[in-house]
C-alpha cells in the first residue's frame, strides 16, 4: 500500500479465522457474511483507491440487534472492526485491515419516518444523501448538505465524516443538520444521542460523534432536519482572467454581507475538463470560473444578483451569465458536480485533496500550488467551495509510471502543509482517515493528540474500532494515564492517586 504503515495484523486472530467466520454466520445468517477472496474484492478499498487491503471477513447486518451482537462478540474476542457505509470516503477511512471484520451498513437502507410539521426525517444509515431529498421533495422540502457524491454516499457516512457540499456555506455541514443518532458501542451497548429537538442537555456527545470517522461507535439511525425549498434560486456564472481576481471577488461578496446559497470556483484545467464532459456552455477563455447561487424571495434574489454582478465587474470579470430558468441553473451546477469524473477523463489517475484555508489566503495558496506543480512535474486541477475556503485540488498522475503515485502523495502532503501554514486546517469534509493521518502533527502537538485519544479511549478502550486511522501513533489507553516518577517521587504528591 505505497509504504503506508498500518497496525500489525494479530496472528492469533488470523489463525482463528474459520471459527470467527462460523460464529459471525450464526449472528448474521444467510448472505450476511462474505468470506471468499473474489467476493471480498468489492470491499478492498473505499474512494481512495490508491490503497487496497482485503479484510478478514465482511459482515452485512440488517438489524440493530445483529450489529450489537457482532460488536459484542468482537469486543469479547479482541477482534478489530472497521465500519463502512457506501465506501465513497476519499481519505481511506473505510480501508479494511487484514485482521479486522469489515462491518458494512449498506443494508440499513430504509427511511423510518417523515415528520413534516417538525421538519424531521429519521433514516437508517445506509440511505443515500440524495435519497432523503427524493423522499420529501414532493412536499417542497429538501436536505441541505449536498456533497458531490450525494447520489451514492450514505447518511451514516456523512455523519462519520461531517460531510458538507456546495450549499454548506449558507446551510451548514452535516453537524448543523443532524439532530440525533442511535449508535452501538464496541461492547454492544445501544445508546441514543440527541433526538428530534434542536439542542440536547449536557455534554455535546452528538457533536463528538459527528466527524468521528468510525472510531467511537457504529451509527444505526440518523435524525436530520429538512428545510423548505426557497421560493427562488438563481445562479451567476462569472469568468475571471486570473484566479486572484476570482478569489478577491469571493472575499468582496462575503465582505458585503451577502451569504450565497452556494459559491464555488474552478480553475482553467477543471473548467475545460468539465465543459468537455457535460457541455453546458462554460467559458473556456477564462482562468477562473465562479458559480454564485442566491436563494430566497424573488425580490431579494433580484436585488442580490445586481449587487454580486457589480462586485464581479469591479474585480475585472470578463463574462457573467445569470440563469433565466431552473434548467439553466441546474446546468450551471452540472459541470461543478461532475468535475471529479470529468477530470478522470483527462488523466489515468487523480489524487483528490481536501484542505481548508482562510478565504483571504486563496490567491497565495493557488500560487503556491502552481509552484508545487512545477516542482513535482504533475498537473493539478482545482475545484473548491470558495465561500468557506474548502479546497479540493485534483493532482493528476499515472499509477502505471514508477514513482508517480509517491510524487502525487508528496505533492498532496505539501499542499496540506501549505494550508496549515496560512492558518487553515488539514481537512474540510473528507476526514483524516489514513490519507492525512501522518500529517496530524503538522497541526496538533503531542498534548493535543493525547487529549483527542482520551476521547477515543472513553468510547473504545481496547482500540478495536477502526484502528490505524486519524491518529499517527497508536497508543494504549493506559499509556495516556501514566505517571512520571523521578527518584521515587511523583509530581504533586499531595494529589490523591487512584
Amino acid at each position: 500500500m505505497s509504504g503506508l504503515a498500518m497496525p500489525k495484523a494479530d496472528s492469533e486472530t488470523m489463525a482463528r479465522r474459520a471459527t470467527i467466520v462460523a460464529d459471525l454466520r450464526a449472528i448474521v445468517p444467510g448472505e450476511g457474511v462474505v468470506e471468499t477472496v473474489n467476493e471480498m474484492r468489492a470491499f478492498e478499498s473505499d474512494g481512495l483507491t490508491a490503497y487496497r487491503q482485503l479484510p478478514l471477513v465482511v459482515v452485512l447486518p440488517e438489524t440493530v440487534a445483529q450489529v450489537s451482537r457482532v460488536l459484542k462478540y468482537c469486543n469479547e474476542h479482541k477482534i478489530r472492526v472497521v465500519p463502512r457505509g457506501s465506501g465513497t470516503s476519499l481519505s481511506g477511512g473505510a480501508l479494511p485491515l487484514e485482521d479486522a471484520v469489515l462491518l458494512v451498513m449498506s443494508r440499513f437502507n430504509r427511511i423510518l419516518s417523515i415528520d413534516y410539521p417538525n421538519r424531521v426525517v429519521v433514516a437508517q444509515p445506509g440511505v443515500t444523501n440524495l435519497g432523503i431529498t427524493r423522499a420529501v421533495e414532493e412536499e417542497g422540502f429538501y436536505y441541505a448538505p449536498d456533497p458531490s457524491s450525494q447520489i451514492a454516499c450514505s447518511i451514516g457516512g456523512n455523519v462519520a465524516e461531517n460531510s458538507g457540499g456546495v450549499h454548506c456555506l449558507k446551510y451548514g455541514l452535516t453537524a448543523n443538520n443532524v439532530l440525533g443518532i442511535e449508535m452501538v458501542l464496541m461492547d454492544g451497548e445501544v445508546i441514543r444521542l440527541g433526538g428530534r429537538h434542536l439542542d440536547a442537555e449536557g455534554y455535546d456527545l452528538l457533536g463528538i460523534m459527528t466527524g468521528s470517522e468510525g472510531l467511537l461507535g457504529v451509527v444505526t439511525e440518523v435524525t436530520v432536519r429538512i428545510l423548505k425549498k426557497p421560493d427562488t434560486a438563481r445562479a451567476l456564472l462569472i469568468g475571471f482572467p486570473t484566479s486572484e481576481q476570482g478569489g478577491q471577488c469571493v472575499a468582496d461578496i462575503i465582505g458585503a454581507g451577502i451569504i450565497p446559497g452556494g459559491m464555488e470556483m474552478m480553475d482553467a484545467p477543471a473548467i475545460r475538463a468539465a465543459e468537455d464532459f457535460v457541455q453546458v456552455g462554460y467559458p473556456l477563455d477564462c482562468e477562473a470560473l465562479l458559480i454564485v447561487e442566491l436563494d430566497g424571495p424573488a425580490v431579494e434574489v433580484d436585488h442580490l444578483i445586481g449587487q454580486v454582478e457589480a462586485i464581479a465587474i469591479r474585480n475585472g470579470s470578463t463574462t457573467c451569465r445569470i440563469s433565466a430558468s431552473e434548467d439553466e441553473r441546474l446546468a450551471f451546477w452540472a459541470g461543478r458536480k461532475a468535475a471529479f469524473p470529468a477530470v478522470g477523463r483527462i488523466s489515468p489517475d487523480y489524487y483528490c485533496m481536501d484542505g481548508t484555508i482562510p478565504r483571504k489566503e486563496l490567491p497565495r495558496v493557488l500560487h503556491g500550488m502552481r509552484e508545487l506543480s512545477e516542482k513535482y512535474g504533475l498537473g493539478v486541477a482545482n475545484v473548491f467551495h470558495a465561500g468557506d475556503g474548502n479546497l479540493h485540488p485534483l493532482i493528476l498522475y499515472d499509477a502505471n509510471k514508477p514513482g508517480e503515485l509517491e510524487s502525487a502523495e508528496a505533492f498532496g502532503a505539501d499542499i496540506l502543509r501549505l494550508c496549515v501554514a496560512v492558518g487553515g486546517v488539514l481537512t474540510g469534509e473528507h476526514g483524516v482517515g489514513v490519507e492525512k493521518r501522518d500529517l496530524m502533527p503538522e497541526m496538533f502537538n503531542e498534548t493535543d493528540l493525547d487529549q483527542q485519544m482520551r476521547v477515543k479511549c472513553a468510547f473504545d478502550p481496547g482500540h478495536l474500532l477502526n484502528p490505524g486511522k486519524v491518529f499517527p501513533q497508536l497508543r494504549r489507553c493506559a499509556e495516556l494515564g501514566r505517571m512520571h516518577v523521578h527518584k521515587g517521587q511523583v509530581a504533586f504528591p499531595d494529589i490523591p492517586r487512584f
Side-chain angles (χ1 to χ4, degrees), residues 389-413:
N390 185 197
L391 310 180
H392 293 314
L394 305 175
I395 299 170
L396 314 180
Y397 72 100
D398 186 348
N400 291 319
K401 293 183 179 179
E404 283 212 356
L405 171 58
E406 290 75 16
S407 293
E409 290 174 325
F411 186 176

Side-chain angles (χ1 to χ4, degrees), residues 303-325:
H303 173 69
L304 292 176
I305 284 175
Q307 285 190 293
V308 170
E309 190 174 15
I311 291 171
I313 291 171
R314 287 200 299 271
N315 280 283
S317 64
T318 55
T319 179
C320 181
R321 284 175 56 194
I322 302 169
S323 65
S325 67

